[in-house]
Amino acid sequence: MNTPFAIMGTVARLSPDERSTLVERGVAADPAVRQRVTEILARVRQDGDAALRALARALDGVDLEALEVPRATWDRALDALDPVVTRSLERARDNVARAHAAWRPAPIEVETEPGVMVGRRADPLRRVGVYAPGGRAVYPSSVLMGVVPARVAGVSDVILCSPPQPDGLPAPAVLAAASLAGADRVFALGGAGAVAAMAYGTASVPRVDRIVGPGNAYVAEAKAQVASVVAIDAPAGPSELLVLWDGSAPAEGIAREMLAQAEHDPDAAVVAVLLPGASPDALVQALTVQLAAAPRGAIARQALGERGALLAARDAVEGLAFIAEWAPEHLLLAVKDPDALLPDVRNAGTIFLGVSSSVAFGDYVTGANHVLPTGGTARSYSGLSTLDFMRWTTYQRIAPAAAARLAEPTAVLALAEGLPAHAAAAAAWAEASP
């Protein structure tokens, strides 16, 4: 059978090389990319705005009169946007705001023993930087996904960086989205230079407390390199989808979902795990037909041919075990009863329950965030949310009587660790009134 997939077979009989190809997607940066990014970061850190202008000339082919884009320019871009697109972006913005507002964490206090209270509260960061791609593709939806949760979290200052187009400005759709989302400042800066500017600060670009947003290999590497001086979101790479299919939904619908993610990027990773009752032949046929007619079929075909897989699992238990190992960015449970499997799913950026829960909806308008962990990092990272724009502050209150009770065990532990001043500070409360 002719197949568009790089790998076909069963989950149980994957060879070590096949398993490595599928699971080890988060490969280290190309040494040339790493070296170039290191040079750019050092250059921007030393020369600031002058380095950013030089990088714009060399990499983007533009002479920037100013790095910052005036707000009036964003507003004009919004006014010029197709009203149908504007309404769709507004709907997406409102749903993102509604969902992320509901996810804001509440303060927590607990009395660990009488008179001893410990608490935590989530405080918004002061300033964050959002990166919006603008090279091979332009994603105004990513502007919403970064800026709106920051606003909801209460961040005081939200800045946006996006690469300049030939006119020296970020793409009009990005500027329009910045206006809709409520960004505070926009800079016509792209790539590793933009990350450096936000991480270190320049005369024009303020230093931020966290950098979020997707980007190419240079952006991803730059974020990784500055992570010791500024917080970043989850490591981001090419789009991913794993579909668990039991045959209860038509093969054509499964093929549409796979094609939608494969068209993102030649490096996208798309896998289907078939349970008993699902036909691999039907899926291959449906996908072949759709690829032939797809406007971005060449991109999707390359992605499927290099990192795509069609695998059979003996049962749902084996399928779920592979999901936990593969750790997909997007997981579509295209099964008859997805809610029955949901409690047992581990390691997925976001889960779509049932075939009508198209991943495309989540990419744009449901309100969930589409900035998600890729390359298997869903094993330890979560998708972007209001929590990424906050930090937890812990506080403690100890009543005098409780201090008297805590004095002895604290002094014992302090002396055991060779810290007599700690012991003395605790022991002083031993005689406190009950």
Side-chain angles (χ1 to χ4, degrees), residues 135-434:
R136 181 163 48 192
V138 173
Y139 297 113
S141 58
S142 291
V143 176
L144 303 183
M145 298 294 174
V147 175
V148 173
R151 288 266 81 106
V152 168
V155 173
S156 301
D157 191 10
V158 183
I159 73 169
L160 176 73
C161 287
S162 192
Q165 306 295 302
D167 63 358
L169 297 172
V174 166
L175 293 175
S179 183
L180 277 174
D184 291 297
R185 302 174 72 180
V186 175
F187 295 88
L189 298 171
V195 174
M198 291 188 283
Y200 304 128
T202 72
S204 297
V205 185
R207 181 176 182 175
V208 304
D209 302 316
R210 183 182 287 268
I211 300 172
V212 305
N216 62 18
Y218 290 87
V219 171
E221 175 62 20
K223 287 166 66 178
Q225 289 194 27
V226 302
S228 62
V229 297
V230 63
I232 65 169
D233 53 358
S239 187
E240 301 174 354
L241 170 67
L242 191 151
V243 181
L244 185 68
W245 182 43
D246 64 359
S248 60
E252 290 75 15
I254 306 304
R256 282 195 299 271
E257 292 298 322
M258 299 181 77
L259 179 58
Q261 297 307 310
E263 76 169 354
H264 267 293
D265 190 293
D267 294 323
V270 178
V271 172
V273 175
L274 277 55
L275 299 177
S279 168
D281 291 348
L283 181 53
V284 168
Q285 181 178 0
L287 193 52
T288 301
V289 170
Q290 292 180 27
L291 278 169
R296 293 171 64 88
I299 293 172
R301 194 172 290 107
Q302 183 178 344
L304 293 169
E306 294 181 1
R307 289 198 178 273
L310 180 58
L311 305 173
R314 287 185 294 252
D315 51 30
V317 172
E318 185 175 71
L320 290 171
F322 182 77
I323 288 168
E325 182 181 14
W326 202 72
E329 176 192 21
H330 304 99
L331 171 63
L332 173 60
L333 295 179
V335 298
K336 188 174 182 179
D337 188 2
D339 290 287
L341 298 183
L342 180 60
D344 296 319
V345 173
R346 295 292 180 271
N347 304 344
T350 187
I351 305 167
F352 296 84
L353 302 172
V355 71
S356 64
S357 302
S358 173
V359 178
F361 296 142
D363 279 345
Y364 293 105
V365 295
T366 63
N369 210 293
H370 77 201
V371 180
L372 300 164
T374 62
T377 59
R379 289 189 294 271
S380 52
Y381 284 92
S382 306
L384 198 67
S385 75
T386 47
L387 290 176
D388 288 280
F389 302 102
M390 294 179 162
R391 60 167 303 279
W392 287 96
T393 297
T394 301
Y395 53 96
Q396 307 175 46
R397 184 182 301 111
I398 304 168
R405 296 194 309 271
L406 296 179
E408 181 184 357
T410 301
V412 167
L413 293 174
L415 290 173
E417 294 187 350
L419 299 172
H422 281 66
W429 287 94
E431 302 303 324
S433 300

Side-chain angles (χ1 to χ4, degrees), residues 67-90:
L67 303 183
E68 186 168 1
V69 181
R71 183 175 292 272
T73 304
W74 324 353
D75 295 337
R76 285 196 297 271
L78 179 58
D79 291 341
L81 198 64
D82 183 335
V84 175
V85 177
T86 300
R87 287 194 297 272
S88 296
L89 284 172
E90 289 172 338

